[in-house]
Amino acid sequence: MLGEFIIYTVFSATVYIITYCAGFFCVILLGRGMYMKLKDYEIKHNEIIRKNAAECTLFLKKDGSFPLSKACRIALFGNGARNTVRGGTGSGDVNSRFSVSIEKGLEEGGFTITSGKWLDSYDKMKQEKKHAWIKEMKKKGKGLRGIANIMGAVMKEPDYNLSLDYDADAAIYVLSRISGEGSDRTYDRGDFKLTETEVRDILSLNARFDRFLLVLNTGGVVDLEEVKIVKNILLFSQLGALGGNILSDIILGISYPSGKLSTTWASEYPNIGTFGDMDDTYYNEGIYVGYRYYDATGTKPLFPFGFGLSYTQFDIKPHEPVLKGTKVSVSVTVRNTGKFRGKEVVQLYTSSKAGFKSLSAFAKTKELEAGKTQRLTLSFDMESLASYNSEKQAYILEKGDYVLFVGNSSANTVPTGVLSLDKTVVVKSVKNLLGDSGFEDWAPKRIRKIRVPEEVKRISVSSKDFKGKSVRYDAKYKIDPFISSLTDEELCYINIGRFNKGPLSIIGNASKKVAGAAGDFTDTLVSRGFPQITLADGPAGLRLNRQYFIDKDGNAAGIGNDSLLIVKDFLPTYLFKIMSMMGKKPKKNQKIFEQFCSMIPVGTAVAQSFNTDLAKLFGDIVGTEMELFNVDIWLAPAMNIHRDIRCGRNFEYYSEDPLLTGKIAASVTKGVQSHSGRAVAIKHYAANNQENNRYGSNSHVSEKALRDIYLKGFEIAVKEAKPLCVMTSYNLLNGTHTSENRALVENVLRNEFGFKGIVMTDWIVGGMEAFGKYSSPTSCNIAMAGGDVMMPGSENDYKTLLEGLKNGKVSREQLEINASRMYNLAKKLSEEQS
């Protein structure tokens, strides 16, 4: 593969070098004016994001010295002040028209920055350090496998020695961390832990300035133990291209934080299971993930799940619960008792037999002025409380009491009712399908008993109100007559994505229809009436080429290969230049088109809003731009659980809690799919919780933990929003690649969850396969598992599948079933777009 890659690269460079030079200067002349003028959709979407993104932020600490009454002089420091991180690295980036740093945003808001010399000196120091680091990383990144291994790698924040002697009315320190696809985080200083100089300067500024704000421009958790005395700490997160403007609005009180933590923040995390091992990762902690562990053990984190402060304060008064059949409702009156307008998130938890409270429902108020109230109703079905019992192969509700708690974080709740179930109930009978983890799950030595005041209302629940279900695993699929008429070769082509020769498909840039899109499929049979489908990366928006032209064959040809930016730092300079030259170039005076896409907040930030309506609105932005740019499927939302804060892609995932994950993903899905002919591909299914050797890491997870934690969010999203596609993950699950796991794909996803769409693989590209003790998945196994299309696929994958059909490794019936599902989806999207 590597030899072919080199030959192709050199050949392409030779062919296109002359036309590239002419096209390059043409693009510069044509592009300058276009880059400056925003289109109507950009203006509208930027307004929506700027107006609402503050809902994704929250104060961890506050002393009342903010907001500021007017723009003033600001002493601005920190690695994120000028180089503000808008999102993580890798496929989730968006090639937007511009990006506003915090420094720039504050200046546009009328603030005067007095510390420009510090920012200049810091930039010079950081650039020198990064240059040396990249030089070392390039030595490790030889060949496709090497580049894959270091893609997403992030340099740890260096120490520095710069003076803080600047006069101002207030000071802000912006602490940034970035992570991304292909590389995990560490507990080291400069990553999870703050550097010694960061700690020193933050504490110094906090002592010196009456008005000091620590801004956390991070997509994941950092250790705040050493700076927890700071008066004001704002979890700003990573909010896309308008970050600087959004922060300026918050500081001036134009907008306000109203989010809550979707992940527990602590200085030390439990070390029960393993993380980051190349071959095998053991999820020994079982269901005790995130706040469930802290609640069950009585351990106090720095900041609990669901916690968050705003400019104002709220009083939450719960009313007695109401039970109708198995449906539980709790009404709550929320009063704004502070001086500022704001929104509050009310959370309803239910005690479990495992010794912790779990989130059962949540709701967010509308904007409340000071002194105003709103009554909310939080509801759930008691069946959702059922936990999996491997011995009985069923979801069970045990006899006994279930205590309801209402509050504004997992650690700040009050009991409001007790549901007393008279007998143990089997809610749903299934089968143990997902393999043996090889160990018994950890559990606390003692299960905490929850004492409830006698005055709390008790409600009797009759086991007779639960109907009970039993899943059948014999679903039949109708094969379309058109598919039956296809040749073996045509069937195999449909089960493989449109494969490209050359490296661009590796970085998700392999579409003919949409420049810079991740790829196409089903275009092999367009002449036979099989519509072509184009997929674009997510989940912070569409990742497309910013400019393109239409070539002589009628295809959209990207200019500049924007997708290369995600690997630019790790490619040898000469190779990056050569790859940048690949592709067709516009002729002189040829019309150039634009595809500037809007960047929404990262997934964790969206979840922190605890606002399903806002999540749907962000999905609507993406769906609108899919229509504008002819994208059929968005490779998002990403919804893996925050099992460990070191996972490099946690920023694009929602939460440690499966209910919040499922609800937010469902809302984003509804927003996208409200646009006719547009679809999402929820991902990565399943147990994809680390990046180290992501192509060949085996996740050992018990059936119970899978069903209660890691699959539950997917089930919620499938049942509530009906996504049209699901993407499997790279990793193995209990010894079998998820893409080859028929029990996971066919039995659980389709038969148990009721999924009706297509299943695709993540991008399995030759030269970037698994290493270590486990082999890579094959096209034959993927097809027989019920995987409808292997993406992006290769000529070798096609030949392997065709040979498998001839020698009996793959049945024609299964290929016809897969192809029928693909055909039905393609027709549905095409007809809705017509």
Side-chain angles (χ1 to χ4, degrees):
M1 176 67 187
L2 183 57
E4 293 178 359
F5 168 77
I6 293 172
I7 293 171
Y8 177 82
T9 299
V10 174
F11 174 77
S12 299
T14 303
V15 172
Y16 294 115
I17 185 98
I18 298 176
T19 54
Y20 173 81
C21 293
F24 177 77
F25 290 110
C26 176
V27 169
I28 290 178
L29 293 174
L30 290 173
R32 281 183 175 175
M34 291 192 293
Y35 269 79
M36 299 303 295
K37 186 177 180 181
L38 273 72
K39 301 292 177 63
D40 289 344
Y41 77 89
E42 290 179 277
I43 295 172
K44 179 181 178 181
H45 292 169
N46 285 336
E47 286 177 350
I48 292 172
I49 294 168
R50 181 169 179 175
K51 178 182 177 181
N52 293 283
E55 285 206 41
C56 305
T57 71
L58 57 111
F59 281 111
L60 294 172
K61 296 277 296 292
K62 66 168 189 172
D63 71 350
S65 57
F66 291 87
L68 302 178
S69 59
K70 61 179 179 179
C72 58
R73 296 180 307 145
I74 297 282
L76 182 64
F77 307 95
N79 60 334
R82 181 172 286 173
N83 300 296
T84 308
V85 180
R86 59 188 206 156
T89 67
S91 62
D93 199 6
V94 175
N95 298 315
S96 57
R97 188 184 292 268
F98 60 86
S99 188
V100 182
S101 69
I102 285 176
E103 178 190 28
K104 184 66 174 176
L106 291 175
E107 289 176 339
E108 291 180 1
F111 293 96
T112 299
I113 305 301
T114 65
S115 54
K117 185 178 179 181
W118 189 98
L119 298 173
D120 292 339
S121 299
Y122 174 85
D123 280 352
K124 182 179 179 181
M125 177 278 303
K126 183 70 174 283
Q127 191 59 38
E128 291 173 353
K129 298 275 189 181
K130 188 170 183 180
H131 180 75
W133 175 76
I134 289 174
K135 190 175 181 180
E136 288 299 312
M137 293 300 291
K138 283 182 177 179
K139 294 179 182 178
K140 302 177 182 178
K142 294 181 179 180
L144 296 184
R145 178 72 259 170
I147 293 172
N149 288 343
I150 64 173
M151 186 176 75
V154 175
M155 182 181 79
K156 291 182 175 61
E157 182 63 23
D159 282 301
Y160 56 84
N161 189 21
L162 301 173
S163 171
L164 298 175
D165 191 16
Y166 295 92
D167 185 43
D169 301 304
I172 297 174
Y173 193 101
V174 184
L175 180 87
S176 290
R177 292 290 187 268
I178 189 169
S179 62
E181 182 176 9
S183 182
D184 288 315
R185 300 179 62 198
T186 69
Y187 283 137
D188 300 334
R189 286 197 181 275
D191 191 347
F192 172 65
K193 291 184 178 294
L194 277 56
T195 66
E196 292 180 356
T197 47
E198 286 174 334
V199 174
R200 178 198 67 197
D201 286 0
I202 289 168
L203 293 179
S204 176
L205 292 167
N206 184 65
R208 178 181 164 194
F209 285 88
D210 292 334
R211 290 181 290 187
F212 171 66
L213 177 64
L214 172 58
V215 175
L216 303 176
N217 175 216
T218 67
V221 181
V222 291
D223 183 5
L224 298 177
E225 180 66 35
E226 295 175 284
V227 295
K228 63 183 180 182
I229 66 169
V230 169
K231 298 183 286 283
N232 298 283
I233 304 176
L234 176 70
L235 177 52
F236 184 66
S237 197
Q238 295 165 347
L239 303 181
L242 297 171
N245 299 128
I246 296 165
L247 182 63
S248 178
D249 291 345
I250 290 173
I251 292 173
L252 287 170
I254 296 170
S255 58
Y256 49 86
S258 65
K260 303 288 182 180
L261 291 178
S262 65
T263 295
T264 302
W265 279 50
S267 56
E268 291 185 7
Y269 288 88
N271 191 26
I272 302 170
T274 64
F275 176 85
D277 293 346
M278 184 179 76
D279 291 321
D280 296 280
T281 301
Y282 296 93
Y283 291 52
N284 304 75
E285 70 279 0
I287 62 174
Y288 293 91
V289 179
Y291 70 89
R292 288 166 169 77
Y293 166 83
Y294 291 94
D295 195 26
T297 60
T299 307
K300 187 177 181 181
L302 277 177
F303 302 103
F305 173 86
F307 173 80
L309 303 174
S310 183
Y311 279 135
T312 191
Q313 296 82 40
F314 297 92
D315 175 71
I316 298 174
K317 180 183 178 182
H319 304 283
E320 290 185 347
V322 175
L323 179 69
K324 291 185 178 180
T326 61
K327 304 291 192 302
V328 181
S329 297
V330 178
S331 292
V332 179
T333 299
V334 182
R335 181 180 181 84
N336 183 343
T337 60
K339 298 179 180 179
F340 298 93
R341 61 200 170 97
K343 298 181 180 181
E344 177 65 305
V345 175
V346 181
Q347 300 155 49
L348 176 60
Y349 294 84
T350 308
S351 67
S352 73
K353 302 302 179 182
F356 55 74
K357 303 185 297 291
S358 59
L359 186 67
S360 299
F362 60 90
K364 194 166 191 175
T365 68
K366 63 182 181 181
E367 181 176 279
L368 296 177
E369 297 290 342
K372 297 298 183 180
T373 64
Q374 183 182 357
R375 186 160 176 145
L376 299 173
T377 299
L378 289 73
S379 303
F380 68 92
D381 194 311
M382 277 197 70
E383 289 189 350
S384 67
L385 304 181
S387 60
Y388 191 69
N389 185 303
S390 298
E391 292 182 2
K392 295 183 178 179
Q393 300 192 64
Y395 291 88
I396 302 292
L397 265 177
E398 293 183 39
K399 173 185 176 180
D401 292 343
Y402 295 83
V403 185
L404 301 173
F405 296 85
V406 169
N408 60 4
S409 81
S410 60
N412 184 31
T413 60
V414 294
T416 188
V418 180
L419 305 171
S420 297
L421 181 61
D422 60 351
K423 293 180 181 179
T424 295
V425 173
V426 174
V427 173
K428 183 168 63 175
S429 296
V430 292
K431 292 180 180 179
N432 291 335
L433 297 165
L434 301 173
D436 183 5
S437 64
F439 54 82
E440 273 193 31
D441 286 351
W442 176 88
K445 293 180 179 179
R446 292 184 184 178
I447 299 297
R448 296 179 68 201
K449 292 185 178 180
I450 298 173
R451 293 185 175 86
V452 181
E454 293 183 3
E455 62 270 19
V456 171
K457 182 178 180 179
R458 302 183 69 89
I459 300 176
S460 296
V461 182
S462 173
S463 56
K464 295 179 181 179
D465 289 331
F466 296 85
K467 301 187 186 306
K469 303 169 188 173
S470 183
V471 175
R472 298 180 62 181
Y473 298 97
D474 57 353
K476 302 295 182 183
Y477 298 98
K478 185 177 180 182
I479 296 172
D480 192 278
F482 168 69
I483 297 301
S484 298
S485 70
L486 299 178
T487 65
D488 289 350
E489 290 77 9
E490 289 171 327
L491 268 182
C492 289
Y493 270 122
I494 294 172
N495 277 256
I496 301 292
R498 186 177 70 82
F499 45 89
N500 285 16
K501 292 181 179 179
L504 293 184
S505 62
I506 295 172
I507 53 175
N509 182 0
S511 172
K512 287 183 179 180
K513 190 173 78 171
V514 181
D520 303 321
F521 57 60
T522 72
D523 62 326
T524 308
L525 299 178
V526 168
S527 61
R528 297 278 304 274
F530 202 131
Q532 176 179 332
I533 299 297
T534 296
L535 313 91
D537 261 325
L542 302 178
R543 184 164 69 88
L544 306 175
N545 253 75
R546 287 172 284 197
Q547 292 187 316
Y548 71 97
F549 68 97
I550 303 300
D551 66 16
K552 62 182 179 61
D553 299 317
N555 298 322
I559 299 173
N561 287 331
D562 288 337
S563 295
L564 282 174
L565 297 176
I566 67 174
V567 293
K568 177 181 178 181
D569 285 345
F570 306 117
L571 290 173
T573 303
Y574 76 90
L575 183 56
F576 176 76
K577 289 181 178 179
I578 291 173
M579 290 176 70
S580 297
M581 295 175 186
M582 292 179 182
K584 301 171 183 177
K585 308 303 173 187
K587 297 178 180 179
K588 187 177 180 180
N589 298 324
Q590 186 167 3
K591 186 174 181 180
I592 306 299
F593 299 92
E594 292 183 341
Q595 292 180 140
F596 290 105
C597 299
S598 303
M599 190 172 190
I600 62 175
V602 297
T604 299
V606 177
Q608 285 171 181
S609 75
F610 274 73
N611 188 336
T612 54
D613 290 336
L614 180 57
K616 184 178 180 181
L617 185 60
F618 287 145
D620 178 62
I621 288 175
V622 176
T624 298
E625 295 185 4
M626 290 173 71
E627 289 189 46
L628 286 171
F629 301 127
N630 296 313
V631 172
D632 303 299
I633 300 174
W634 186 42
L635 301 178
M639 50 184 302
N640 294 101
I641 293 295
H642 292 181
R643 174 192 176 236
D644 192 295
I645 60 97
R646 291 171 289 178
C647 177
R649 297 185 79 171
N650 273 357
F651 71 93
E652 65 179 272
Y653 303 149
Y654 294 122
S655 175
E656 67 188 26
D657 181 76
L659 176 74
L660 180 60
T661 293
K663 293 287 187 180
I664 296 295
S667 296
V668 172
T669 297
K670 290 176 183 177
V672 173
Q673 294 189 172
S674 65
H675 295 265
S676 296
R678 313 299 156 180
V680 305
I682 60 174
K683 63 182 187 183
H684 307 89
Y685 183 74
N688 181 183
N689 302 102
Q690 76 174 46
E691 290 297 287
N692 186 35
N693 190 23
R694 58 186 178 149
Y695 300 94
S697 175
N698 183 17
S699 297
H700 296 262
V701 197
S702 70
E703 186 103 18
K704 179 175 177 59
L706 280 166
R707 291 179 174 278
D708 284 359
I709 303 292
Y710 298 100
L711 298 180
K712 191 171 183 179
F714 287 97
E715 180 179 15
I716 292 169
V718 166
K719 290 182 175 179
E720 293 191 3
K722 296 179 174 55
L724 296 177
C725 309
V726 169
M727 177 191 286
T728 54
S729 53
Y730 285 129
N731 56 282
L732 297 89
L733 178 61
N734 293 328
T736 303
H737 274 284
T738 60
S739 57
E740 298 180 323
N741 195 324
R742 187 172 179 86
L744 185 69
V745 170
E746 196 69 32
N747 294 335
V748 175
L749 181 62
R750 291 196 167 106
N751 291 321
E752 293 186 21
F753 296 173
F755 177 68
K756 302 297 183 183
I758 69 153
V759 175
M760 71 179 75
T761 68
D762 203 340
W763 262 230
I764 301 171
V765 183
M768 295 173 65
E769 298 94 342
F771 63 96
K773 74 180 188 181
Y774 297 107
S775 61
S776 297
T778 68
S779 54
C780 290
N781 291 343
I782 290 167
M784 284 306 294
D788 300 306
V789 60
M790 181 179 184
M791 291 299 296
S794 68
E795 191 167 2
N796 183 62
D797 295 322
Y798 163 74
K799 291 178 179 178
T800 299
L801 189 61
L802 186 59
E803 181 64 26
L805 181 58
K806 291 177 181 178
N807 63 28
K809 287 185 178 180
V810 181
S811 70
R812 180 175 170 95
E813 180 185 18
Q814 185 63 58
L815 292 184
E816 288 182 347
I817 289 172
N818 298 347
S820 292
R821 288 191 288 241
M822 295 282 288
Y823 185 47
N824 291 335
L825 174 70
K827 285 196 302 180
K828 171 182 171 63
L829 298 182
S830 178
E831 289 169 0
E832 289 181 356
Q833 292 172 23
S834 299

